[in-house]
Amino acid sequence: MSETETPIVEMRNICKAFGAVRALHNVNFRLMPGEVLGLVGDNSAGKSTLMKILTGAYHRDSGDVLVSGAATQFRSPQDSRDSGIEMIYQDFALCGNMDVGQNIFLGRWPRRGLFVDKKRMYSDAEAVLKRLKVDVNSVRQRVESLSGGRQQSVAIARAISFEPQVVILDEPTANLSVMATNELLRTMQELKEHGVAQVIISHRLTDIFEVGDRVMVLKRGENVGDRYIDHTSEKEVLELIVEGTPETALTADQARAAA
């Protein structure tokens, strides 16, 4: 990863408050093209708030958001999607009574005249799943009949069908079995190999250390640490989550130089 490469996403000095509650204070965030970044911290750290600002669900009070070096103002989630950013929420947001193909293209089914072009829809759905090396019995299978891991993979496939540059995954393995988690981690590795940058919001450091390149730690809405995976340990990251302070925070590059 070149040090002179422009981040695909950069957020500078982001502040956000909800009434008297300060959720984020001067938070800095960067994501490089094709990078897998773990975003960690306790339940009040501000992780989801920061990502909801990036996806246009929340508006920042102050600070700057840049996509590929260009200053950006997201007024809605559609603005963020138009910039190549997709978020996959913990509940997957799938329609269980519809099949895999219908879910992947939900709300934008390909049409031939006035009718849905089902042949094209299922063909395109199979192509997306093949790209991710996701195996389902049939793209005509109802989503509710799939395992949790396969449902998560369908949610990822739907996001990938928008051809994003960035995918944000909110607690992607929280409710999955060990086998399903391993399947999902393989899917995330496929995304990485296709050059899609990913942000993983997770409490499971093991998963982040399995597929991640870097980990960023928030605490009470502030930066308290940033480390490259190959220059840190789960123990150090846990210490940052529990004891880290803004005054002692190092960037990943500073930490690597000091190692």
Side-chain angles (χ1 to χ4, degrees):
M1 189 180 300
S2 171
E3 293 182 1
T4 61
E5 194 173 10
T6 301
I8 188 67
V9 170
E10 187 172 9
M11 305 175 79
R12 301 174 180 168
N13 300 316
I14 300 297
C15 294
K16 178 67 178 176
F18 299 95
V21 178
R22 188 181 73 175
L24 299 171
H25 180 65
N26 290 333
V27 172
N28 294 303
F29 171 94
R30 67 179 171 87
L31 180 69
M32 305 306 292
E35 183 179 35
V36 179
L37 171 68
L39 182 59
V40 302
D42 59 26
N43 288 333
S44 60
K47 308 181 298 295
S48 293
T49 299
L50 185 67
M51 290 298 97
K52 285 179 179 178
I53 289 172
L54 181 57
T55 57
Y58 290 162
H59 295 165
R60 61 191 184 271
D61 295 334
S62 61
D64 300 303
V65 177
L66 295 86
V67 176
S68 298
T72 306
Q73 179 71 50
F74 295 143
R75 294 178 175 82
S76 71
Q78 188 60 50
D79 288 346
S80 178
R81 172 170 282 169
D82 290 343
S83 293
I85 299 168
E86 287 285 331
M87 185 162 183
I88 301 169
Y89 292 94
Q90 192 172 351
D91 64 0
F92 309 157
L94 298 173
C95 295
N97 63 337
M98 293 184 178
D99 63 36
V100 171
Q102 290 170 327
N103 268 278
I104 289 176
F105 292 100
L106 187 64
R108 53 196 175 92
W109 297 324
R111 293 189 173 274
R112 186 170 52 191
L114 298 175
F115 302 98
V116 174
D117 188 343
K118 291 185 177 181
K119 182 178 180 180
R120 179 184 164 194
M121 180 180 70
Y122 290 123
S123 174
D124 289 352
E126 286 177 345
V128 174
L129 293 169
K130 183 178 180 181
R131 174 183 171 188
L132 293 175
K133 297 182 180 178
V134 173
D135 181 29
V136 296
N137 290 333
S138 170
V139 289
R140 297 175 185 268
Q141 183 176 357
R142 282 194 174 190
V143 162
E144 62 190 5
S145 69
L146 299 175
S147 68
R150 294 287 169 81
Q151 289 188 30
Q152 179 70 286
S153 293
V154 170
I156 292 174
R158 183 177 62 192
I160 289 303
S161 71
F162 286 95
E163 297 292 335
Q165 301 178 79
V166 176
V167 172
I168 304 162
L169 300 106
D170 185 12
E171 297 289 353
T173 62
N175 300 312
L176 301 185
S177 67
V178 172
M179 183 178 296
T181 294
N182 290 336
E183 289 179 1
L184 180 58
L185 293 176
R186 283 195 293 272
T187 299
M188 292 163 69
Q189 188 64 43
E190 285 297 320
L191 282 180
K192 181 177 179 178
E193 291 178 4
H194 282 89
V196 179
Q198 298 166 73
V199 180
I200 308 169
I201 305 172
S202 182
H203 288 90
R204 294 175 61 161
L205 293 180
T206 301
D207 297 340
I208 290 172
F209 274 73
E210 179 74 22
V211 297
D213 298 301
R214 188 165 53 90
V215 58
M216 172 180 155
V217 186
L218 293 180
K219 187 177 180 68
R220 298 192 186 94
E222 299 188 58
N223 295 101
V224 296
D226 190 334
R227 301 288 188 273
Y228 286 109
I229 293 295
D230 57 1
H231 284 84
T232 190
S233 64
E234 290 187 36
K235 181 177 181 293
E236 182 185 15
V237 174
L238 279 171
E239 288 173 350
L240 288 169
I241 292 171
V242 175
E243 303 173 3
T245 64
E247 290 75 17
T248 59
L250 294 175
T251 67
D253 293 323
Q254 288 170 333
R256 181 165 62 177

